[in-house]
Amino acid sequence: MLSLRFDNRFVRELPGDPQEGSQRRQVHGALYSRVRPTPVAEPRVVAYSREMADLLGISEAEIRSPAFAQVFGGNALIEGMEPFAANYGGHQFGVWAGQLGDGRAITLGEVERAGRRWELQLKGAGPTPYSRSADGRAVLRSSIREFLCSEAMHHLGVPTTRALCLVTTGELVVRDMFYDGNPRPEPGAILCRVAPSFIRFGNFELPASRGDVALLETLIDFTIRRDFPELAGGGTPQQVRAEWFAQVCERTARTVADWMRVGFVHGVMNTDNMSILGLTIDYGPYGWIDDFDLEWTPNTTDAHGRRYRFGHQPRIAYWNLAQLAAALAPAFTEVESLHAGLERYMSTFLEADRANTAAKLGLLEWREEDAHLVQELHALLQAAEVDMTLFFRNLADIDLAAPALAPLEDAFYDPERRRASQDALLGWLRRYAERVQGEGLAPEARRARMQAANPRYVLRNYLAQQAIDRAEQGDFGAIDELLDVLRHPYDEQPGRERFAQRRPDWARHAPGCSMLSCSS
Ligand code: AMP
Ligand code: MG
């Protein structure tokens, strides 16, 4: 069963903790601890991604074999697996939090296939030295959310970690979902997530915070060697490090620009949740924008300060990169290269965001004066309570010769607010139509450009919650059904219109559909 070829460079090339097992501890001078998953009562595969399985060369028959559930439920290892938990720190909500580490994630190994490297990691597989006071487990609802969203992001073309499979454990996990002193048992699950690398900003911050420059440099050189091999030979070691940091900045910028394009709000952009590859990572209390609102945060823990609100994400990414730069500084002889990297973030983000916005609006190219048009639009969408996804998708249907609100009617949540903004919206549509006509792009080309930038289907919060509700009743079909819709987010899918509808009224304040807690 399962002929995976492992090449575990992280544990082979980097210093590890001499102590094994899950006893909680501060780990110094090491970048990981070896620890095995804790077996569960009754592992059962309830969902998987066939695209990810294909990339790993895993067949459907293998996935259906009992042995597969044993391995991905954490009950058995196969030859070549060398499980470990990574040691990292992080800034949480702007404050240095010290050592965090993989408290409930255990990497099984690094698979090589077709010239690509894939780290397989179980999330919810039991305690590690980094679990602090928690249990190392995950509940089904949050595992479904990560499974679906990471695959959906991939199909949207947004850099992300992936998901191979979702396994229920047959065990209960106790969580206080609303943080209101009413913990209750919930079904547990384990997600196998996959990425070329799970290294985070926090992996560098921790040795730097302890003044362990040698360990910091070891990790930097390893990351460049393994995860950025294209940089090899690009000048002196210092020049290579400089370009590496700039690349991290560039990738982060493009990913965040994509979040803004599709209406994704991460919700917990702590530096331990920032991938060195610029992947979207650690899907927790994330959310999707229904009614356009730059102030919205899905995370109840963030409701007060709104640090991680939709419109603030580009600035937070920059702040996080600045923390990374500060951590890397002892390994750089010239601070200027770190400043240059941060500038690369700014220029890349601006460029990507403008290109995305132009594409969303069906403009051939961005002009300085478009900034005003976009600002006006954002204010109007917010004031009139307009669904972001529906608005941009249906904007392609506006008759440029006679702009009217008719193609956009489905996008309004509140008739009162629609009425109050109607004249202003029409005025905006007329100016927009003029601007578009000025470019002379053929209507079909314009529509194609817009449809490639504006998804029809996103993982609306209430859709994920409906799949969770059914799964908790033992019906996992809704997960497959939803995943199948999300495979082709930019296509019209006749018969599946209900998955494209705006959030229904009942879901406006319903648990899991509007705000989410970190409890997972
Ligand atoms: P997060 O907010 O999910 O990024 O988690 C922050 C830190 O808490 C990380 O070090 C996690 O590994 C740890 N953590 C979160 N949930 C658990 C859990 N149920 N058991 C152990 N550690 C956890
Ligand atoms: Mg995390």
Side-chain angles (χ1 to χ4, degrees), residues 126-338:
T128 78
Y130 309 102
S131 301
R132 290 171 289 165
S133 58
D135 57 6
R137 292 297 183 191
V139 292
L140 179 61
R141 64 181 152 81
S142 66
S143 307
I144 291 175
R145 282 169 50 82
E146 177 152 3
F147 175 81
L148 282 174
C149 200
S150 59
E151 288 301 288
M153 290 289 258
H154 166 73
H155 295 299
L156 280 164
V158 183
T160 179
T161 62
R162 304 287 304 273
L164 172 62
C165 61
L166 178 64
V167 173
T168 52
T169 59
E171 293 179 5
L172 296 172
V173 174
V174 176
R175 289 288 182 275
D176 184 356
M177 181 162 134
F178 301 108
Y179 293 141
D180 60 0
N182 291 305
R184 66 174 179 105
E186 299 184 50
I190 298 175
L191 179 74
C192 177
R193 54 183 187 179
V194 187
S197 168
F198 281 99
I199 296 176
R200 305 140 186 273
F201 292 7
N203 294 69
F204 302 89
E205 288 181 280
L206 185 61
S209 76
R210 292 168 168 172
D212 193 343
V213 179
L215 191 60
L216 172 68
E217 296 202 285
T218 300
L219 180 62
I220 293 173
D221 293 340
F222 171 80
T223 305
I224 294 174
R225 224 168 38 241
R226 190 192 67 170
D227 296 338
F228 293 78
E230 67 281 4
L231 297 182
T236 65
Q238 278 295 318
Q239 285 168 332
V240 170
R241 285 184 187 177
E243 182 52 25
W244 165 66
F245 179 65
Q247 290 286 330
V248 174
C249 292
E250 246 188 79
R251 290 181 190 219
T252 305
R254 288 188 207 292
T255 297
V256 175
D258 265 338
W259 292 355
M260 302 310 288
R261 172 175 66 83
V262 299
F264 174 79
V265 191
H266 184 286
V268 209
M269 289 176 72
N270 294 335
T271 55
D272 55 305
N273 294 339
M274 297 291 292
S275 146
I276 205 69
L277 289 178
L279 307 172
T280 312
I281 189 173
D282 271 9
Y283 292 84
Y286 68 82
W288 288 83
I289 293 289
D290 290 309
D291 51 293
F292 184 87
D293 185 356
L294 290 165
E295 301 300 310
W296 185 67
T297 177
N299 183 354
T300 49
T301 309
D302 190 36
H304 182 65
R306 292 182 187 264
R307 179 179 176 85
Y308 298 140
R309 63 192 182 272
F310 182 43
H312 210 215
Q313 297 187 117
R315 276 164 64 184
I316 289 295
Y318 182 85
W319 190 89
N320 288 342
L321 284 163
Q323 304 315 306
L324 176 61
L328 297 177
F332 281 68
T333 50
E334 286 165 41
V335 225
E336 288 72 32
S337 27
L338 292 165

